[in-house]
Amino acid sequence: MKLREFAKQLGLSPTTVSRALSGYPEVSEATRARVASEAMRLGYRPDINAVRLKTGRAGAIGVMMARSGEIHFAEFMSGMAQRLETADTDILITPITAHNDEDEMQAYRRLVESRRVDAVIIHSPRPRDPRIGVLNSLGLPFLVHGRSESEHVHAWLDIDNENAVRRSTEHLLDLGHRRIAMINGLRGKTYSIHREQGFRVAHQERGLVADPNLMVCDKFSDESGFRHARSFLERANAPTAIVAGSTMTALGVYRAVRSLGMTVGQNVSVIAHDDVFPYLTAESMVPSLSTTRSSMRAAGTRCAELTLQLIAGRAVDEIHELWPVELILRESTAPPP
Amino acid sequence: MKLREFAKQLGLSPTTVSRALSGYPEVSEATRARVASEAMRLGYRPDINAVRLKTGRAGAIGVMMARSGEIHFAEFMSGMAQRLETADTDILITPITAHNDEDEMQAYRRLVESRRVDAVIIHSPRPRDPRIGVLNSLGLPFLVHGRSESEHVHAWLDIDNENAVRRSTEHLLDLGHRRIAMINGLRGKTYSIHREQGFRVAHQERGLVADPNLMVCDKFSDESGFRHARSFLERANAPTAIVAGSTMTALGVYRAVRSLGMTVGQNVSVIAHDDVFPYLTAESMVPSLSTTRSSMRAAGTRCAELTLQLIAGRAVDEIHELWPVELILRESTAPPP
């Protein structure tokens, strides 16, 4: 289907349709959403090559990927794809060595030189993330998924990690737990720092102090959840509740509890952050898992939309979104024995 | 580090180093491996823009991604990244609508017109996959991850799915199981057909017939594993063993067995195919899970290497790799009660 025909069916001008699909801020959010869903329904796809010729755009958003692999990566990318399939924009992934800042900076410089992307999305920033200054000086538009305390104003979308863990910890304290352990994410990342802050504040509000011996940082995996939960639960003064960084971590925590002949929701309470993976659902775990929930896929879709707006010229300081996190109580949290 | 300097440290000519990193078949596999690992160790990265100018290459391999999302996607991509981080080649992801062949074909045509990729990798083919004919006529080099029965000769890498399930089923039959259920992957895909074939052949060899009422096809997820295992185990003539399509599926099967007051490895045996996800390990499940194992990440790394060779001119009919699958017996399989 041609642009002209598609626009006619919608009763809009071809220019408005083009702008809506490319994320121009002049077009209202409602119109953008309508055009995107109709494009999907009617099978209209803009011609990427015509757009590139007309606008000089590369037609791609860049994302760096460390080979360490990340369970969240696929969900975020699927969310991006959901928005970009009607926006005529691809995703360019540049493989980089994990934990090598210089390598990543170099990769951004080359992306700019080669003009293969119109913008990039960066993930899991640290509080003073050097990538932000470099991208700023390169003049390459970028969106941060997460937040940084950089001196440079930057566009970002983040979830309210501090409040999420503060609420889950308050819930455990309300139930009467006094020895609570926390299996956090990677040390030094802003999201881990915010989560730790939420954990501490929930304790402080009640005149309690979070025990540093009950807090660890690690990657999100079944294995790390098992290992840390075993280590906590085998101590003399074991915790009665555990805050886990992800549903994957919670899987390992459940195993650890069972392996010690105990039962989740009876001897030990467990609550976790849930990014909503389609292949692993908190409500179907046994017992069902209490969570703070925020969809990683929805974040990917919205980050793609905001990046399109950024490319279309929307001001960086207008793009700051902090998403609240839902607290969902199920069977895995109960008063201490 | 510059090419000249890096080549000198290796005692090779700059031309040989360039060719090794770009996957030229004139360079031996051993030299290619040495150059790649030294590049990593010494931090040498070729200058993508210089290479593009000199060779006229786009410097990217294309992959289509349906927004349905796939747990295997991230692992495969991480594997690709591991090879490509020293090959100066990016991955271009084109978002497409799931299950819309015409949309995907159109996307390939546009990729060719826009010259943004040097080759593409296609996944999970069907026996007569229409993408293969289209890519062939477009003249875009491509590698199939999986196999097809297309009339067109094509480069492919696949694991031996038939033999994997044949061996896991034989193991269960050897233990004395006679009612075995199979939770297979998506219907119509070559890998699901091969796995079903392995299941049937293992039965036939012993004069038995696989029961069609004990075979289902579905996506790989915890939820589908739970649902199908419950349905099988609640029947009057329930199976005593289950072959699961993935470790995610096995998680749901374990839950289903437990939810009925039974124990895996005692009342019901379970064996699954394991793609080796770093965040979920078969050996740490309780009881530890018997598997057929093949690393999805290793497949991604090798597919990237073969695609580089394809781009460098290696003949399509030389690139056919069938990987054997390991059978690893742990605690989840035992004689029937």
Side-chain angles (χ1 to χ4, degrees), chain B residues 55-243:
Chain B
T55 61
R57 284 192 192 161
I61 293 172
V63 178
M64 301 282 153
M65 183 175 68
R67 64 159 147 152
S68 56
E70 245 271 38
I71 184 174
H72 306 88
F73 184 78
E75 271 302 287
F76 187 86
M77 299 291 288
S78 300
M80 283 185 70
Q82 193 161 333
R83 175 61 187 90
L84 297 180
E85 64 182 339
T86 55
D88 190 27
T89 301
D90 295 330
I91 305 165
L92 187 76
I93 295 186
T94 301
I96 49 165
T97 314
H99 312 303
N100 182 338
D101 278 347
E102 194 34 56
D103 196 36
E104 186 165 349
M105 305 303 175
Q106 193 58 27
Y108 288 124
R109 286 187 204 104
R110 286 179 178 166
L111 271 184
V112 170
E113 287 166 24
S114 66
R115 294 187 199 159
R116 284 182 301 172
V117 299
D118 301 306
V120 294
I121 295 179
I122 70 174
H123 287 275
S124 301
R126 287 168 284 164
R128 305 213 152 268
D129 203 293
R131 296 174 292 182
I132 291 176
V134 168
L135 285 167
N136 222 42
S137 69
L138 287 170
L140 182 64
F142 65 99
L143 177 85
V144 179
H145 176 219
R147 262 180 297 169
S148 187
E149 289 164 13
S150 167
E151 72 222 271
H152 306 280
V153 179
H154 55 280
W156 55 263
L157 181 151
D158 198 4
I159 62 169
D160 192 347
N161 282 295
E162 175 173 343
N163 220 18
V165 173
R166 181 172 168 171
R167 287 179 68 197
S168 57
T169 308
E170 282 171 354
H171 165 58
L172 294 170
L173 292 166
D174 285 344
L175 288 169
H177 294 276
R178 285 301 173 267
R179 289 191 57 71
I180 305 173
M182 180 184 197
I183 305 175
N184 203 345
L186 289 177
R187 192 179 303 282
K189 301 289 189 185
T190 306
Y191 72 84
S192 295
I193 295 167
H194 286 170
R195 289 182 182 187
E196 182 174 323
Q197 181 68 8
F199 190 67
R200 289 184 190 280
V201 167
H203 282 79
Q204 280 160 13
E205 283 173 332
R206 289 155 206 250
L208 302 168
V209 177
D211 183 347
N213 293 316
L214 292 179
M215 292 154 73
V216 288
C217 282
D218 209 329
K219 59 181 184 299
F220 297 136
S221 80
D222 172 70
E223 184 279 327
S224 71
F226 180 78
R227 182 162 37 83
H228 293 300
R230 278 288 294 220
S231 152
F232 285 137
L233 296 172
E234 281 172 337
R235 295 181 192 174
N237 198 1
T240 57
I242 297 176
V243 178

Side-chain angles (χ1 to χ4, degrees), chain A residues 83-98:
Chain A
R83 174 62 188 93
L84 297 180
E85 64 181 333
T86 55
D88 192 26
T89 301
D90 295 330
I91 305 165
L92 187 76
I93 296 184
T94 302
I96 50 166
T97 315

Side-chain angles (χ1 to χ4, degrees), chain A:
Chain A
M1 191 184 299
K2 297 276 181 202
L3 172 61
R4 199 173 298 271
E5 188 192 336
F6 175 62
K8 200 171 163 192
Q9 292 211 23
L10 266 64
L12 294 170
S13 74
T15 310
T16 303
V17 168
S18 276
R19 289 188 167 171
L21 290 171
S22 301
Y24 279 76
E26 298 92 322
V27 183
S28 75
E29 190 87 30
T31 304
R32 276 205 295 267
R34 182 176 152 238
V35 172
S37 83
E38 286 296 288
M40 194 98 72
R41 194 176 66 83
L42 299 169
Y44 170 71
R45 275 184 68 97
D47 183 338
I48 191 158
N49 295 320
V51 172
R52 293 176 76 213
L53 268 176
K54 208 154 51 184
T55 60
R57 285 193 190 158
I61 293 171
V63 178
M64 300 282 153
M65 184 175 71
R67 63 160 147 152
S68 56
E70 244 269 38
I71 184 172
H72 305 89
F73 184 78
E75 271 302 287
F76 187 86
M77 298 292 288
S78 300
M80 283 185 71
Q82 193 161 334
R83 174 62 188 93
L84 297 180
E85 64 181 333
T86 55
D88 192 26
T89 301
D90 295 330
I91 305 165
L92 187 76
I93 296 184
T94 302
I96 50 166
T97 315
H99 313 302
N100 182 338
D101 278 346
E102 194 34 56
D103 197 35
E104 187 165 349
M105 306 303 177
Q106 192 59 25
Y108 288 124
R109 285 186 204 105
R110 286 179 178 167
L111 271 185
V112 171
E113 287 165 24
S114 65
R115 295 185 198 160
R116 282 181 302 170
V117 299
D118 301 305
V120 294
I121 296 178
I122 70 173
H123 286 275
S124 302
R126 286 167 285 164
R128 306 212 152 268
D129 202 293
R131 296 174 293 181
I132 291 177
V134 168
L135 286 167
N136 221 44
S137 69
L138 287 170
L140 182 64
F142 65 99
L143 178 84
V144 179
H145 177 220
R147 262 179 297 170
S148 188
E149 290 163 15
S150 168
E151 71 223 271
H152 306 281
V153 179
H154 55 280
W156 55 262
L157 180 150
D158 199 4
I159 62 169
D160 192 348
N161 281 296
E162 176 173 342
N163 220 18
V165 173
R166 180 172 168 171
R167 288 179 67 196
S168 57
T169 308
E170 281 170 356
H171 165 60
L172 294 170
L173 292 166
D174 286 344
L175 288 170
H177 293 276
R178 285 300 172 268
R179 289 191 57 71
I180 306 173
M182 180 183 197
I183 305 174
N184 203 346
L186 289 177
R187 191 179 304 281
K189 301 289 189 185
T190 306
Y191 72 85
S192 295
I193 295 167
H194 286 169
R195 290 182 181 187
E196 182 174 323
Q197 181 67 6
F199 189 67
R200 289 185 190 280
V201 167
H203 282 79
Q204 281 161 14
E205 284 173 333
R206 291 155 204 248
L208 303 168
V209 177
D211 183 347
N213 293 317
L214 292 179
M215 293 154 73
V216 287
C217 283
D218 208 330
K219 59 181 185 297
F220 297 137
S221 80
D222 171 72
E223 185 278 328
S224 71
F226 180 78
R227 181 163 36 84
H228 293 301
R230 279 287 296 220
S231 151
F232 286 138
L233 295 172
E234 281 171 339
R235 295 180 192 177
N237 198 2
T240 58
I242 297 176
V243 178
S246 77
T247 47
M248 270 302 157
T249 316
L251 271 184
V253 173
Y254 270 46
R255 281 200 297 116
V257 171
R258 274 200 302 270
S259 74
L260 294 167
M262 297 193 288
T263 304
V264 170
Q266 290 178 23
N267 314 85
V268 183
S269 285
V270 180
I271 191 163
H273 184 71
D274 181 9
D275 293 298
V276 195
F277 300 123
Y279 37 79
L280 178 69
T281 51
E283 57 267 40
S284 61
M285 288 173 69
V286 182
S288 63
L289 175 68
S290 295
T291 59
T292 51
R293 181 171 72 179
S294 187
S295 160
M296 182 59 67
R297 185 175 292 222
T301 300
R302 184 65 186 162
C303 281
E305 168 66 29
L306 293 174
T307 306
L308 289 173
Q309 294 182 16
L310 205 56
I311 295 168
R314 190 169 168 202
V316 165
D317 58 9
E318 283 180 15
I319 303 180
H320 297 156
E321 284 194 9
L322 184 64
W323 287 13
V325 170
E326 302 169 17
L327 178 68
I328 299 171
L329 302 181
R330 300 195 183 89
E331 302 163 335
S332 66
T333 46

Side-chain angles (χ1 to χ4, degrees), chain B residues 252-327:
Chain B
V253 173
Y254 270 46
R255 281 200 298 114
V257 172
R258 274 201 303 270
S259 74
L260 293 167
M262 297 193 288
T263 303
V264 169
Q266 290 177 23
N267 314 85
V268 183
S269 284
V270 181
I271 191 163
H273 184 70
D274 181 9
D275 292 299
V276 195
F277 301 124
Y279 38 79
L280 177 68
T281 49
E283 56 265 40
S284 61
M285 288 172 70
V286 181
S288 62
L289 175 68
S290 295
T291 59
T292 51
R293 181 170 74 180
S294 186
S295 160
M296 182 60 67
R297 186 175 291 223
T301 301
R302 184 66 185 161
C303 281
E305 167 66 29
L306 293 173
T307 305
L308 290 173
Q309 294 182 15
L310 205 55
I311 295 168
R314 188 167 169 204
V316 164
D317 58 8
E318 282 180 15
I319 304 180
H320 298 155
E321 283 196 9
L322 184 63
W323 286 14
V325 171
E326 302 169 19
L327 178 67

